[in-house]
Amino acid sequence: MALELSEKHQEVIDKLSEAFPDSFIEAYQSSGDTFVRVEADAIVDICSFLKKECHFSYLGDVFGADNFTSKQRFEVVYNMVSLKDQIRLFVKVHLEESNPVIQSVTGVWKSANWPEREVYDMFGIQFTGHPDMRRIFMPQDFDYYPMRKEFPLLGIPGSIELPNTTPDTE
Protein backbone atom coordinates (compact mmCIF):
# COMPACT_ATOMS: atom_id res chain seq x y z
CA MET A 1 0.00 0.00 0.00
CA ALA A 2 1.44 3.33 -1.03
CA LEU A 3 1.86 6.00 1.57
CA GLU A 4 -0.23 9.13 1.25
CA LEU A 5 2.29 11.51 2.71
CA SER A 6 2.13 15.27 2.68
CA GLU A 7 4.87 17.02 0.78
CA LYS A 8 6.60 17.97 4.04
CA HIS A 9 6.41 14.44 5.47
CA GLN A 10 7.82 13.01 2.25
CA GLU A 11 10.64 15.53 2.34
CA VAL A 12 11.51 14.57 5.93
CA ILE A 13 11.43 10.84 5.18
CA ASP A 14 13.58 11.30 2.09
CA LYS A 15 16.15 13.31 4.05
CA LEU A 16 16.13 10.81 6.91
CA SER A 17 16.50 7.72 4.73
CA GLU A 18 19.28 9.41 2.76
CA ALA A 19 21.20 10.58 5.84
CA PHE A 20 20.77 7.29 7.75
CA PRO A 21 20.51 4.50 5.16
CA ASP A 22 21.65 1.81 7.62
CA SER A 23 19.44 2.95 10.50
CA PHE A 24 16.23 3.86 8.69
CA ILE A 25 13.99 0.76 8.66
CA GLU A 26 10.59 1.83 7.42
CA ALA A 27 7.97 4.56 7.20
CA TYR A 28 4.27 3.91 7.53
CA GLN A 29 1.00 5.58 8.39
CA SER A 30 -1.52 4.63 11.00
CA SER A 31 -4.71 6.47 11.93
CA GLY A 32 -3.62 9.48 9.91
CA ASP A 33 -0.23 9.80 11.62
CA THR A 34 3.18 9.19 10.09
CA PHE A 35 5.62 6.82 11.78
CA VAL A 36 9.21 5.98 11.03
CA ARG A 37 10.99 3.04 12.58
CA VAL A 38 14.72 3.33 13.09
CA GLU A 39 17.52 1.35 14.71
CA ALA A 40 17.79 2.02 18.44
CA ASP A 41 21.54 2.57 18.42
CA ALA A 42 21.15 5.64 16.19
CA ILE A 43 18.32 7.34 18.07
CA VAL A 44 20.33 10.30 19.38
CA ASP A 45 21.88 11.04 15.97
CA ILE A 46 18.51 10.72 14.25
CA CYS A 47 16.72 12.92 16.76
CA SER A 48 19.48 15.53 16.53
CA PHE A 49 19.18 15.45 12.74
CA LEU A 50 15.41 15.78 12.87
CA LYS A 51 15.65 18.72 15.26
CA LYS A 52 18.39 20.58 13.39
CA GLU A 53 17.71 19.73 9.76
CA CYS A 54 13.97 19.16 9.73
CA HIS A 55 12.89 21.68 12.40
CA PHE A 56 11.31 19.22 14.86
CA SER A 57 11.87 21.61 17.73
CA TYR A 58 9.09 20.26 19.97
CA LEU A 59 9.17 16.83 21.57
CA GLY A 60 5.64 16.28 22.76
CA ASP A 61 6.04 12.90 24.40
CA VAL A 62 8.06 9.74 24.79
CA PHE A 63 6.16 6.58 25.57
CA GLY A 64 6.77 2.89 25.75
CA ALA A 65 4.88 -0.22 24.70
CA ASP A 66 5.19 -3.88 25.57
CA ASN A 67 4.39 -6.17 22.63
CA PHE A 68 4.94 -9.24 24.84
CA THR A 69 6.75 -11.03 22.04
CA SER A 70 9.97 -13.02 22.20
CA LYS A 71 11.71 -10.71 19.72
CA GLN A 72 11.65 -6.93 19.87
CA ARG A 73 9.38 -6.98 22.85
CA PHE A 74 9.56 -3.32 23.81
CA GLU A 75 9.00 -0.14 21.83
CA VAL A 76 9.93 3.43 22.60
CA VAL A 77 8.05 6.05 20.60
CA TYR A 78 9.03 9.70 20.26
CA ASN A 79 6.23 12.11 19.35
CA MET A 80 7.73 15.22 17.78
CA VAL A 81 6.33 18.28 16.05
CA SER A 82 7.84 20.67 13.57
CA LEU A 83 6.27 23.97 14.52
CA LYS A 84 7.74 25.60 11.43
CA ASP A 85 6.24 23.08 8.99
CA GLN A 86 3.28 22.18 11.21
CA ILE A 87 3.74 18.45 10.92
CA ARG A 88 3.94 15.68 13.51
CA LEU A 89 6.17 12.64 13.29
CA PHE A 90 6.39 9.54 15.46
CA VAL A 91 9.81 7.91 15.61
CA LYS A 92 9.78 4.36 16.90
CA VAL A 93 12.50 1.97 18.01
CA HIS A 94 12.27 -1.67 19.06
CA LEU A 95 14.21 -3.13 21.96
CA GLU A 96 14.91 -6.70 22.96
CA GLU A 97 13.48 -8.12 26.17
CA SER A 98 16.87 -9.25 27.43
CA ASN A 99 18.44 -5.79 27.32
CA PRO A 100 15.92 -2.94 27.09
CA VAL A 101 18.44 -0.11 26.99
CA ILE A 102 18.56 2.95 24.75
CA GLN A 103 20.40 6.26 24.80
CA SER A 104 18.60 9.21 26.32
CA VAL A 105 17.58 12.08 24.05
CA THR A 106 17.60 14.61 26.89
CA GLY A 107 20.68 16.13 25.24
CA VAL A 108 18.52 16.90 22.19
CA TRP A 109 15.29 17.91 23.96
CA LYS A 110 15.29 18.63 27.68
CA SER A 111 11.58 17.83 27.61
CA ALA A 112 12.48 14.13 27.29
CA ASN A 113 13.57 14.04 30.92
CA TRP A 114 10.33 13.13 32.69
CA PRO A 115 8.78 11.01 29.89
CA GLU A 116 11.93 8.86 29.77
CA ARG A 117 11.75 8.46 33.54
CA GLU A 118 8.11 7.42 33.22
CA VAL A 119 9.00 4.83 30.55
CA TYR A 120 11.72 3.50 32.84
CA ASP A 121 9.37 3.39 35.81
CA MET A 122 6.55 1.63 33.97
CA PHE A 123 8.47 -0.68 31.58
CA GLY A 124 12.00 -0.96 33.01
CA ILE A 125 13.57 0.45 29.87
CA GLN A 126 16.88 2.09 30.78
CA PHE A 127 17.99 5.36 29.16
CA THR A 128 21.76 5.67 29.22
CA GLY A 129 23.07 9.18 29.67
CA HIS A 130 19.87 10.35 31.36
CA PRO A 131 20.67 13.02 33.97
CA ASP A 132 18.31 11.64 36.64
CA MET A 133 17.27 8.04 35.95
CA ARG A 134 15.04 7.47 38.98
CA ARG A 135 11.56 6.08 39.29
CA ILE A 136 8.95 8.78 38.95
CA PHE A 137 5.73 7.20 40.27
CA MET A 138 6.61 3.97 42.00
CA PRO A 139 8.73 3.66 45.17
CA GLN A 140 12.48 3.48 44.47
CA ASP A 141 12.69 -0.02 45.96
CA PHE A 142 9.74 -1.39 43.96
CA ASP A 143 10.99 -4.44 42.07
CA TYR A 144 8.35 -4.52 39.33
CA TYR A 145 7.31 -2.56 36.24
CA PRO A 146 3.52 -2.09 36.22
CA MET A 147 3.02 -1.58 32.46
CA ARG A 148 4.72 -4.81 31.47
CA LYS A 149 2.23 -7.35 30.24
CA GLU A 150 3.23 -9.97 32.81
CA PHE A 151 2.39 -7.62 35.68
CA PRO A 152 -0.81 -8.89 37.36
CA LEU A 153 -3.86 -6.66 36.89
CA LEU A 154 -4.56 -6.71 40.61
CA GLY A 155 -0.95 -5.95 41.50
CA ILE A 156 1.43 -8.09 43.49
CA PRO A 157 0.03 -8.79 46.95
CA GLY A 158 2.15 -7.24 49.66
CA SER A 159 4.49 -5.44 47.26
CA ILE A 160 3.11 -1.98 48.00
CA GLU A 161 0.62 -0.58 50.47
CA LEU A 162 -2.52 0.50 48.67
CA PRO A 163 -5.14 2.92 49.96
CA ASN A 164 -8.40 1.49 51.16
CA THR A 165 -10.97 1.89 48.38
CA THR A 166 -14.04 1.06 50.38
CA PRO A 167 -15.83 3.93 52.08
CA ASP A 168 -15.49 4.20 55.79
CA THR A 169 -18.37 2.63 57.61
CA GLU A 170 -19.24 3.69 61.10
Side-chain angles (χ1 to χ4, degrees):
M1 183 172 148
L3 297 177
E4 296 178 14
L5 298 171
S6 69
E7 185 177 315
K8 292 292 184 184
H9 276 113
Q10 187 65 56
E11 183 179 318
V12 168
I13 289 171
D14 291 344
K15 284 182 178 177
L16 194 59
S17 61
E18 184 178 315
F20 299 93
D22 297 330
S23 301
F24 183 87
I25 298 172
E26 66 177 335
Y28 64 95
Q29 293 177 302
S30 178
S31 302
D33 289 312
T34 302
F35 290 77
V36 295
R37 193 162 69 91
V38 299
E39 295 289 346
D41 57 359
I43 192 64
V44 173
D45 293 337
I46 288 172
C47 287
S48 294
F49 177 84
L50 288 169
K51 183 177 180 182
K52 291 175 186 166
E53 303 298 325
C54 301
H55 315 290
F56 284 93
S57 58
Y58 176 69
L59 179 70
D61 198 7
V62 179
F63 54 93
D66 181 356
N67 295 322
F68 206 48
T69 56
S70 59
K71 286 190 163 197
Q72 301 179 340
R73 176 176 174 178
F74 297 107
E75 294 178 351
V76 177
V77 184
Y78 303 84
N79 171 10
M80 57 190 75
V81 176
S82 169
L83 299 174
K84 177 182 177 193
D85 296 327
Q86 298 187 353
I87 59 172
R88 175 182 308 273
L89 183 69
F90 292 90
V91 176
K92 182 187 285 191
V93 298
H94 285 171
L95 301 172
E96 297 296 330
E97 177 180 15
S98 61
N99 189 24
V101 176
I102 189 168
Q103 288 182 301
S104 172
V105 297
T106 53
V108 180
W109 296 285
K110 290 183 185 217
S111 62
N113 189 328
W114 283 40
E116 286 183 348
R117 286 180 60 191
E118 183 178 0
V119 171
Y120 163 68
D121 196 14
M122 295 292 116
F123 294 96
I125 297 170
Q126 296 273 341
F127 292 86
T128 58
H130 191 283
D132 186 19
M133 192 84 279
R134 290 181 292 137
R135 297 195 90 136
I136 196 165
F137 297 115
M138 305 305 293
Q140 295 302 315
D141 60 348
F142 195 63
D143 294 330
Y144 308 97
Y145 301 103
M147 292 301 287
R148 287 189 174 188
K149 296 274 174 87
E150 75 267 14
F151 191 84
L153 289 176
L154 297 177
I156 297 176
S159 65
I160 188 170
E161 186 175 330
L162 299 174
N164 186 358
T165 57
T166 57
D168 291 336
T169 56
E170 294 181 352

